[in-house]
């Protein structure tokens, strides 16, 4: 269970790591001040890529599954953070309604939902599960991989229509663990008396990656200034390309131009820092992916050579939503591997607190590919790796806790960006 | 490092344990609501005694030393809790001034102070140490047992007299880790622009155990009602006896009467629950002890047979403060032992969060004696024992995490009592 980091990291990341650890009090104070101005998402997970020469978030998930992959022993951190979060939204809360995915993308998904129940029970909440699946018309038990089970129940609006709950269960807080890729169901709209967390516009029915990346640009810039590093060290270049349909070829030229532009920017940075890698970009839909419809491109010419299968995959996204806007993101190769499989760290946060993480590992993918794909496995960051307290005297690149602290800092940069993103995209901003 | 609990607990505690674990959501919600009304102490440690048939706090320390005895691995819990605490008092804080003991009672005391520095650094604070020792007239390095060192510096009032700091160091928050047994130094008075934590009246110059025990009576009563148990299961009987000087014999008769009264109450409870133990009481000064001046009495007649040495010890307390008021507390025997030495759990809290604990172990003391005495040792509660998430399905009395969760609940009852105590004894209540 203890990931062995086979990569020997050298060069600028060590410099970045050193600077982050030396600046710990300044960084933590800066976060403290930022969280006075901005409300962190209720919970989030952030995928990081550690290239050795740079360390950057590549995705921020506001409906994190996979809490069961966090090391058991670190559960108290989640409980403590959840206490702080609940205090903020509904300090009197007695009941929490959790709305999970209907058709989970991962076979152990509901195990993570059960873990969330365990966490929130410890904060003093009765937790029950409501289903968005119209075929769930009565309490329905679901068997869990560990032999336990949980029961999902039909959602019910109160007689006056103002509240959402279950039969004989009136929650103060409704926690979504469903990213709403399929659109916003009517039953979730016009709820004004209860806290719906995260808010509806955090779901992929409304959310756009480009808004997140734009907010992250600002955060990375501030952070770079704070600790005296090039923001690029924590931030991949990105560009958005609208109205693309690869099955018809519509917008393909404009996409190729964007790809070329991003590759050129990367090449310049690689030259500046003497990095010998071959630049590449990741193209993904602007409206959420689940790891589908993500491709790696090293040259704009490759776009013409995409197979029909690949074009289709870039077009048909979850629940049949067609791609129109694409994001071109600088590819950050992962230099971390576990037993010869490439790995990327995923960091979990509740409120503004880092509560754990794991490595996503894929045996059949390369260092320049998306690892969030069928066949990926999860290795919990074991205890010694996981605790967030850096050893200021450890030599950079050697101490696992130091690395995890640094991961926690960069993940929180993405968390802060998500907070800005949510503020700016809020359709009903006066409630903030 | 993993304490092996050799006692086989039976009877009512298992019942108490079961009830506490089953009522987890109700208990946690109750705490959540109480903390909306009452501000928890900044930090605290609580000594518990587990008698098998009852589990009760016997002491609540508002200037906890010994943070270095908490398992290293659980440090992130302290950091997270400290973040929440700092946010409450001084969210903009950049500098923290920590004022430790002058002549520590324990040889490794400053190691715990260094640990506090590490914790607060992680919350985004620059930490420096100010000394109340008038002989410290310049920055003075102190060697730590682990080979590191820390520097204590002379305290300085600002030119206008309104602030306290060090040379070139103006803190927003001043954290006392000195219990002020020797009285309140002038340099700490009339500070209105900075947060002084805990407040001066938490120090033994002003604080009285009887106020704490009285507040605890109320808390235990509420808690007993909440989960449906006799509050006595978590609360020792106690009585206060004023104006006693055992060296002269003054007040000794009144003390004997109080001892008899408490013993009679215990006897009645023992009969009610079929407990075969021999009742005893612990007599301790009302104004703080450091474990000095604490005696075990099984019969009021023993008071007449105290040696001159014992009488002296009951009279001369730390820094020469003479005893006048004594507390008679129901003795709760400890049924826990580690390698044949009797042990009692000590639970640490920052703000309202349990952040860890250890066993205080004494090889030369009996199950009915005060273990907080020279010669005591400390066994960190190792990881598996320490995490605060109970397993609802584990058989009571078998699961170490369950036991620790229960310890955390009872310790927080004492924390809540300390909060009420501080409110009620505040000489300057309008600042709350």
């Amino acid at each position: 269970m203890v990931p062995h980091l086979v990569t020997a990291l050298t060069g600028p990341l060590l410099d970045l790591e050193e600077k982050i650890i030396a600046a710990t009090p300044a960084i933590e104070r800066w976060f403290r001040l930022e969280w006075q101005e901005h409300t962190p998402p209720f919970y989030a997970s952030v995928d990081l890529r550690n290239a050795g020469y740079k360390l950057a978030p590549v995705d921020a998930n506001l409906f994190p599954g996979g809490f069961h992959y966090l090391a058991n022993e670190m559960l108290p951190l989640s409980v403590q953070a959840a206490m702080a979060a609940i205090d903020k939204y509904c300090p009197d809360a007695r009941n929490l309604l959790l709305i999970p995915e209907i058709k989970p993308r991962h076979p152990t998904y509901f195990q993570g939902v059960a873990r969330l129940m365990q966490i929130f029970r410890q904060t003093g909440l009765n937790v029950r599960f409501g289903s968005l699946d119209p075929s769930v018309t009565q309490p329905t038990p679901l068997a869990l991989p560990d032999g336990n089970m949980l029961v999902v129940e039909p959602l019910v609006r109160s007689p006056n229509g103002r509240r959402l709950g279950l039969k004989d269960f009136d929650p103060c807080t409704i926690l979504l663990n469903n990213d709403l890729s399929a659109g916003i169901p009517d039953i979730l709209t016009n709820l004004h008396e209860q806290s719906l967390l995260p808010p509806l516009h955090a779901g992929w029915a409304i959310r756009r990656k480009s808004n997140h990346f734009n907010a992250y640009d600002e955060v990375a810039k501030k952070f770079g200034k704070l600790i005296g590093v090039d923001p690029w060290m924590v931030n991949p270049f990105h560009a958005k390309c609208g109205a693309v349909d690869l099955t018809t070829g519509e917008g393909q030229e404009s996409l190729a131009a964007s790809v070329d532009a991003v590759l050129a920017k990367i090449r310049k940075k690689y030259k500046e820092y003497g990095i010998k890698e071959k630049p590449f970009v990741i193209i993904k839909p602007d409206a959420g992916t689940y790891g589908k419809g993500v491709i790696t491109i090293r040259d704009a010419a490759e776009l013409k050579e995409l197979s029909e299968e690949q074009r289709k995959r870039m077009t048909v996204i979850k629940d049949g939503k067609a791609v129109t806007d694409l994001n071109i993101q600088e590819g950050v190769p992962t230099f971390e591997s576990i037993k010869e499989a490439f790995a990327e760290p995923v960091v979990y946060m509740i409120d503004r607190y880092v509560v754990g993480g794991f490595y996503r590992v894929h045996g059949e993918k390369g260092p320049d590919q998306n690892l969030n794909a069928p066949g990926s496995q999860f290795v919990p960051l074991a205890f010694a790796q996981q605790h967030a307290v850096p050893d200021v005297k450890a030599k950079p690149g050697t101490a696992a806790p130091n690395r995890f602290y640094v991961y926690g800092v960069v993940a929180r940069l993405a968390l802060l960006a998500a907070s800005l993103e949510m503020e700016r995209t809020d359709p009903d901003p006066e409630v903030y």
Side-chain angles (χ1 to χ4, degrees), chain A:
Chain A
M1 296 297 268
V2 180
H4 177 60
L5 309 181
V6 296
T7 178
L9 300 172
T10 53
L13 178 63
L14 299 192
D15 180 52
L16 176 65
E17 195 169 43
E18 243 174 15
K19 280 187 171 140
I20 287 177
I21 288 166
T24 299
I27 291 169
E28 295 298 335
R29 178 169 184 265
W30 176 69
F31 275 126
R32 178 150 37 85
L33 298 178
E34 290 290 334
W35 297 131
Q36 284 178 60
E37 300 295 319
H38 308 289
T39 304
F42 187 82
Y43 54 8
S45 67
V46 170
D47 297 352
L48 299 178
R49 300 280 284 203
N50 186 349
Y53 54 86
K54 81 185 278 180
L55 171 64
V58 293
D59 209 358
N61 184 349
L62 299 180
F63 302 88
F67 273 90
H68 56 309
Y69 291 122
L70 305 184
N72 269 337
E73 299 83 354
M74 298 313 279
L75 211 47
L77 273 178
S78 289
V79 171
Q80 203 172 291
M83 283 177 167
I86 288 294
D87 243 25
K88 194 178 290 179
Y89 293 102
C90 199
D92 301 343
R94 189 190 298 272
N95 294 333
L96 177 90
L97 175 63
L98 204 158
I99 300 182
E101 297 282 341
I102 298 178
K103 287 178 190 149
R105 55 197 182 281
H106 201 281
T108 68
Y109 168 78
F110 280 106
Q111 199 72 62
V113 170
R115 173 59 58 93
L116 281 172
M117 179 189 199
Q118 193 187 2
I119 291 168
F120 287 105
R121 185 175 185 277
Q122 283 303 114
T123 70
L125 292 166
N126 301 307
V127 181
R128 282 165 68 178
F129 304 100
S131 178
L132 287 174
D133 184 349
S135 75
V136 171
T137 55
Q138 55 182 29
T140 306
L142 293 174
L144 297 177
D146 72 356
N148 287 309
M149 64 167 201
L150 56 80
V151 176
V152 293
E153 301 177 61
L155 292 168
V156 181
R157 286 295 278 247
S158 62
N160 68 6
R162 298 182 60 82
R163 298 178 70 86
L164 177 65
L166 305 174
K167 199 184 165 206
D168 304 324
F169 188 76
D170 182 32
C172 164
T173 309
I174 301 161
L175 184 61
L176 285 174
N177 198 253
N178 179 313
D179 70 9
L180 307 178
S181 297
I184 296 175
D186 286 345
I187 200 162
L188 294 183
T189 57
N190 295 313
L191 293 169
H192 303 297
E193 295 179 359
Q194 293 160 301
S195 302
L196 180 63
L197 300 166
L200 293 176
H201 66 286
W204 287 121
I206 295 177
R207 193 178 176 213
R208 294 295 173 265
K209 282 181 194 291
S210 48
N211 292 327
H212 180 78
F213 296 149
N214 290 336
Y216 189 79
D217 286 346
E218 286 174 47
V219 171
K221 205 170 157 186
K222 273 193 180 179
F223 180 74
K225 203 172 161 190
L226 178 73
I227 66 162
V229 299
D230 181 347
W232 178 76
M233 289 295 173
V234 294
N235 191 12
F237 289 120
H238 60 95
K240 182 176 145 184
C241 190
V244 180
D245 184 345
L246 289 177
T247 52
T248 63
E250 188 191 330
Q252 187 161 319
E253 271 177 42
S254 139
L255 178 63
S258 291
V259 166
D260 274 338
V262 173
L263 285 171
K265 282 162 118 181
I266 305 172
R267 228 169 269 125
K268 208 178 141 199
K269 282 289 179 189
Y270 279 13
K271 205 177 160 195
E272 182 182 343
Y273 292 107
I275 294 159
K276 303 295 178 204
E277 300 289 324
K278 185 166 170 53
F280 66 99
V281 297
I282 301 285
I283 302 182
K284 39 188 166 184
D286 203 24
T289 66
Y290 281 178
K292 278 190 196 170
V294 175
I295 53 171
T296 300
I297 294 284
R298 286 166 205 80
D299 190 306
E302 290 174 34
L303 286 173
K304 290 179 196 148
E305 291 150 29
L306 290 177
S307 68
E308 204 176 324
E309 175 60 28
Q310 281 176 309
R311 287 169 192 276
K312 260 195 193 153
R313 247 190 286 140
M314 290 294 292
T315 312
V316 182
I317 304 301
K318 198 202 164 204
D319 297 306
K321 204 164 173 359
V323 164
T324 45
D325 292 351
L326 294 176
N327 259 286
I328 302 104
Q329 190 183 36
E330 174 189 341
V332 182
T334 180
F335 266 46
E336 293 192 280
S337 59
I338 296 173
K339 289 187 190 153
E340 291 169 26
F342 287 99
E344 63 188 17
V346 185
V347 177
Y348 277 66
M349 287 153 291
I350 295 178
D351 197 77
R352 60 195 176 101
Y353 303 104
V354 173
V355 298
F358 55 76
Y359 276 98
R360 182 184 289 123
V361 178
H362 205 303
E364 290 148 34
K365 298 281 180 181
D368 57 356
Q369 282 183 298
N370 178 33
L371 304 184
N372 189 3
S376 65
Q377 290 182 299
F378 305 94
V379 181
L381 276 163
F383 181 71
Q385 261 85 357
Q386 194 163 30
H387 70 82
V389 177
D391 176 356
V392 280
K393 283 175 215 140
K395 217 179 126 204
T398 61
N402 278 5
R403 175 132 300 142
F404 189 71
Y405 174 70
V406 173
Y407 287 173
V409 168
V410 177
R412 281 181 289 164
L413 298 179
L415 188 74
L416 181 54
S419 167
L420 299 177
E421 175 202 352
M422 287 298 109
E423 281 171 23
R424 289 169 190 175
T425 56
D426 189 353
D428 197 17
E430 77 275 19
V431 304
Y432 273 95

